[in-house]
Amino acid sequence: MPYDYAPHKDFIHPARAEPSLRYVFSVVVIYAVTFMIAPSLVYIVLPAPLNADLFEMVTPVGSLLSFATFGITAYVLVRTVRFFHKRGFWSLIGPYSQAFTDLRRVLVAVFALQFLVQIVLPWGSWGDVAEVRPVALWLALAPFSLLVIFIQVSTEELVFRGYLQQQLACITDNPWVWMVIPSALFGAIHYWNGNSPPKDLSTLSGPGCWGWLARI
């Protein structure tokens, strides 16, 4: 089933030079290994009092450190893609003008949605929010939080929607391959996001469904 959509063709064009499936497998394996060992690498250089925070993520500092480790993964991903495919960071994002146009549109839409859900709709209690998130601490950590969350989500998008989607789309025109495989992998790595395994099918299928919808 061919997929004839000009913006998508422009997006995957940089991947056509080296569409080898063997290279794709190599990059994915290196990414996965880096993802698993990055926290340990940070652990080695951290002062002892922060080590527990990094792995337990029960404090603001621990959460910031954990998200920041994605910077290591992103760096290794970009270097690995350059090594195997001879293309750089911006090739994973696509044409600049279209990418930034889409980014602005998405930011506006997400901001509007969050404003509606978090502020306009009468859900929850502001007293509870203030208790969980002291305003002064929240404001102090907000710039750092935005930075590390941007690093974390950007890393995942670079590998799943950027690298994998591009490379698979160059190997086959079938959108079920380059849409479903990255989304399934995205859902799989989010299988265990809490302190225990998912207890029902909806919890397990949710990340995969959202990943698939995000890539349509």
Side-chain angles (χ1 to χ4, degrees):
M1 180 172 56
Y3 188 75
D4 188 14
Y5 179 52
H8 189 258
K9 287 185 176 180
D10 294 338
F11 173 62
I12 69 173
H13 178 73
R16 293 195 180 280
E18 292 286 352
S20 169
L21 189 59
R22 176 168 55 90
Y23 288 168
V24 174
F25 179 78
S26 299
V27 171
V28 170
V29 169
I30 293 172
Y31 171 85
V33 171
T34 306
F35 174 79
M36 289 186 289
I37 68 173
S40 298
L41 296 176
V42 175
Y43 180 93
I44 294 172
V45 300
L46 279 179
L50 295 178
N51 287 339
D53 288 345
L54 172 63
F55 285 100
E56 295 178 8
M57 292 182 63
V58 295
T59 66
V61 172
S63 297
L64 290 175
L65 289 171
S66 180
F67 283 124
T69 62
F70 278 83
I72 299 174
T73 311
Y75 175 79
V76 172
L77 171 68
V78 172
R79 298 301 300 177
T80 306
V81 170
R82 181 175 292 278
F83 177 80
F84 285 104
H85 299 282
K86 307 299 186 291
R87 60 191 185 100
F89 170 80
W90 287 106
S91 71
L92 297 170
I93 296 176
Y96 302 151
S97 58
Q98 185 63 47
F100 285 111
T101 298
D102 292 343
L103 177 62
R104 287 194 298 270
R105 290 173 177 171
V106 170
L107 285 177
V108 171
V110 170
F111 178 82
L113 177 62
Q114 289 299 315
F115 182 81
L116 174 66
V117 172
Q118 300 290 343
I119 297 178
V120 176
L121 295 179
W123 295 344
S125 166
W126 280 106
D128 294 337
V129 173
E131 182 179 348
V132 175
R133 308 171 185 170
V135 175
L137 178 62
W138 185 88
L139 289 174
L141 293 177
F144 304 102
S145 301
L146 290 173
L147 175 61
V148 296
I149 290 174
F150 177 78
I151 292 172
Q152 185 260 330
V153 298
S154 297
T155 301
E156 291 188 346
E157 288 303 307
L158 283 175
V159 68
F160 291 104
R161 191 176 184 184
Y163 176 73
L164 272 179
Q165 181 172 321
Q166 287 175 327
Q167 294 299 143
L168 293 176
C170 289
I171 294 172
T172 175
D173 290 332
N174 191 332
W176 287 102
V177 174
W178 49 260
M179 280 198 303
V180 172
I181 291 179
S183 298
L185 290 174
F186 178 84
I189 67 168
H190 291 83
Y191 173 82
W192 198 315
N193 261 1
N195 295 322
S196 60
K199 296 180 175 60
D200 54 47
L201 183 60
S202 62
T203 305
L204 174 60
S205 61
C209 292
W210 281 111
W212 181 78
L213 289 172
R215 286 157 178 77
I216 295 179

